Amino acid sequence: VDEKPLGQPPATAPLVMVTYHGMGFHILAYARVLPRRLVVMVSPSQDGRLLAAFLKYFGVAHVLGSSTSRNVGGSLEFIRKVKAGMIGVIAVDGPRGPCAVAKPGFLKLASAAGAHLLLATTSASSGITLKTWDRTHLPAPFATPAVRNSTRTVSRPADAKLAVPPG
C-alpha cells in the first residue's frame, strides 16, 4: 500500500480523491493547502447547483454530472480536467445513498483518467451532524478536522479495491 500525507499527492500524476457525501465540508478545509486546484463532480440538480455556487465562492471548480444524468458529458469533462492536472473529487456514495456505501462508477472515471485514487475519510473535533440521508457533518468554528487517506493506482477498474487499510 502506497500511503502519502494528504498535502503531498503525487506531484504530476493524475489524482482523484474519493470520499463520502457527509464528509465534503471537511475536505474543502484542505483545498487551499493542496498543491493543485480541486474539481468536484456535482449533481446537476437544484441542490447540486447550490453546492456549485458554494464551491465557486471558495475557489473550487466543479463539473456537472452524476450517475443518473449528464453522465457522459460530465464524465468526459471531469476526466479532461483531471488529466490537465486538477485533483478530482467524487462523493462515491451518491447520488441517493445509502450513506457510506460506494458505487463503482468512480473506478471507471479514475481508470479512464489514468489517475491514482486518494481515499479520504474525515472527522472533526466538534460540530453538528445533520439529519439527512448522508449524515452531513458541519464542523464547528475552530474545530480541528482530521483526514485519513491512502493512495491507490487503478490500472483497470477490475483491479481497484476500495478497502481502506486498518490502522
Side-chain angles (χ1 to χ4, degrees), residues 38-122:
L38 298 179
V39 58
V40 180
M41 175 84 68
V42 177
S43 167
S45 68
Q46 185 175 359
D47 288 348
R49 291 181 190 277
L50 287 172
L51 175 59
F54 176 82
L55 292 169
K56 184 177 179 181
Y57 179 80
F58 287 98
V60 176
H62 70 278
V63 169
L64 295 177
S66 75
S67 61
T68 56
S69 61
R70 198 174 176 258
N71 191 22
V72 174
S75 296
L76 291 174
E77 186 178 352
F78 184 81
I79 291 165
R80 275 194 299 274
K81 289 183 182 257
V82 170
K83 284 183 172 183
M86 297 178 85
I87 297 174
V89 179
I90 303 175
V92 296
D93 58 348
R96 295 184 184 97
C99 181
V101 175
K103 306 294 190 299
F106 74 95
L107 296 170
K108 293 177 184 175
L109 282 175
S111 179
H116 295 269
L117 285 175
L118 177 66
L119 310 174
T121 56
T122 65

